Amino acid sequence: MADQENCVRVTRLAKKRAAEAMVQHLQQPNKKRVVLGEIRNLSNQIQMFDSEPLKPKCNKQTTKRKVKRSVSVKEREFREEDVDSKLDDDPQMCSAYVSDIYEYLHQMEIEKKRRPLSDYLEKVQKDVTANMRGVLVDWLVEVAEEYKLLSDTLYLAVAYIDRYLSIKVIPRQRLQLLGVSSMLIASKYEEIKPPRVEDFCYITDNTYTKKDVVKMEADVLQSLKFEMGNPTTKTFLRRFTRVAQEDCKNSNLKLEFLGCYLAELSLLDYNCVKFLPSLVAAAVIFLSRFTLQPKLHPWSVGLEQNSGYRACLL
């Protein structure tokens, strides 16, 4: 019993001391609560000051508003120039080689063997029009949605169609056959589990047989000399979208969705064939940013450095 009473006394004494400490803490002057935005700015300032040499103190008459504004400008430039350094934690992003990879893709897209003629409907084709091409591409979009194919597959298929039509003359009755055969090749190139040949025959309401599709597939491969890995608008759009976002950690879904929508619209337009895929992707980002934020300049230093294109105001 005596031990139990001593234990109760010790417990009560501990509670009494804790209550006195709490009262003393409440009597101290209240500290200003730090908001989430101030914590973020503080961390950015520490990173910047660690990477820069020490500078003399600013004049005391400098207002806090000017200081915050200068920090935000530096922070934005830091983000644009350091867009790849934040991906070091993910080895699959290849942040150490991404600049060399996209430089190689830029060189690849201008190769003559990977580019369609800008006016092949006027010079090569006799029975195919721009409207027919647009209807075919629109139908291929539905095919990609039906079989849940990647967007890269769709872009590659359209690229194969344009390159093939720049070389071979086909009647309008075989235009749909060219479309499904190009989609079949692109599926084998991009997809983990591509659809079967029978699936593409079924999607055409069995207008073409399996033998027809396979024969056209071989003709496309031979005509393009098995050069099937050319970069597309989607290839550069991923890169430019990442650079265009203000924060690499939190993606801007509106910018991404609007960019993908405009890029797919460019597939339908025959007039976009004459432009390089990187230029179309840069124009898509420019228009998307201008649509979402019309009061801000839609181009930046980071986009100019990564895309190689400069926005000229007329």
Side-chain angles (χ1 to χ4, degrees), residues 84-179:
D84 298 326
S85 62
K86 297 184 179 182
L87 305 177
D88 291 338
D89 297 335
D90 190 357
Q92 294 184 352
M93 298 304 294
C94 302
S95 60
Y97 312 104
V98 64
S99 299
D100 296 332
I101 291 174
Y102 276 91
E103 183 179 355
Y104 171 73
L105 292 175
H106 277 290
Q107 297 175 358
M108 183 185 295
E109 69 171 346
I110 62 177
E111 294 179 1
K112 188 176 180 179
K113 61 182 179 180
R114 303 180 189 274
R115 293 289 303 152
L117 296 178
S118 59
D119 53 353
Y120 64 82
L121 290 181
E122 294 80 11
K123 291 185 177 181
V124 180
Q125 300 302 321
K126 300 178 181 179
D127 198 24
V128 179
T129 63
N131 187 31
M132 295 178 186
R133 177 191 175 277
V135 172
L136 174 64
V137 174
D138 188 38
W139 178 74
L140 289 178
V141 173
E142 297 181 0
V143 174
E145 293 178 354
E146 178 68 22
Y147 292 119
K148 297 180 174 57
L149 303 179
L150 298 173
S151 58
D152 301 80
T153 304
L154 175 63
Y155 283 85
L156 269 181
V158 176
Y160 298 158
I161 292 172
D162 290 330
R163 290 171 59 191
Y164 182 86
L165 292 178
S166 301
I167 303 172
K168 294 291 188 67
V169 181
I170 64 172
R172 65 177 67 183
Q173 293 80 8
R174 296 175 61 84
L175 188 60
Q176 188 180 19
L177 177 60
L178 173 62

Side-chain angles (χ1 to χ4, degrees), residues 4 7 18 29 31 61 68 90 129 138-139 151 175 205 213 224 237 241 297:
Q4 187 175 0
C7 181
K31 295 183 179 180
Q61 296 179 356
K68 289 184 178 180
D90 190 357
T129 63
D138 188 38
W139 178 74
S151 58
L175 188 60
D205 198 15
V213 176
L224 303 184
L237 186 61
T241 302
H297 196 286

Side-chain angles (χ1 to χ4, degrees), residues 102 105 109 149-157 159 190 230-242 255-264 266-267 276-282 284-285:
Y102 276 91
L105 292 175
E109 69 171 346
L149 303 179
L150 298 173
S151 58
D152 301 80
T153 304
L154 175 63
Y155 283 85
L156 269 181
E190 288 288 346
N230 54 300
T232 62
T233 301
K234 189 66 177 181
T235 306
F236 296 99
L237 186 61
R238 288 194 182 93
R239 173 67 174 172
F240 298 164
T241 302
R242 179 177 294 277
L255 180 64
E256 292 184 14
F257 291 155
L258 182 57
C260 293
Y261 171 72
L262 295 175
E264 288 190 5
S266 68
L267 293 176
L276 292 174
S278 61
L279 181 58
V280 176
V284 164
I285 294 298

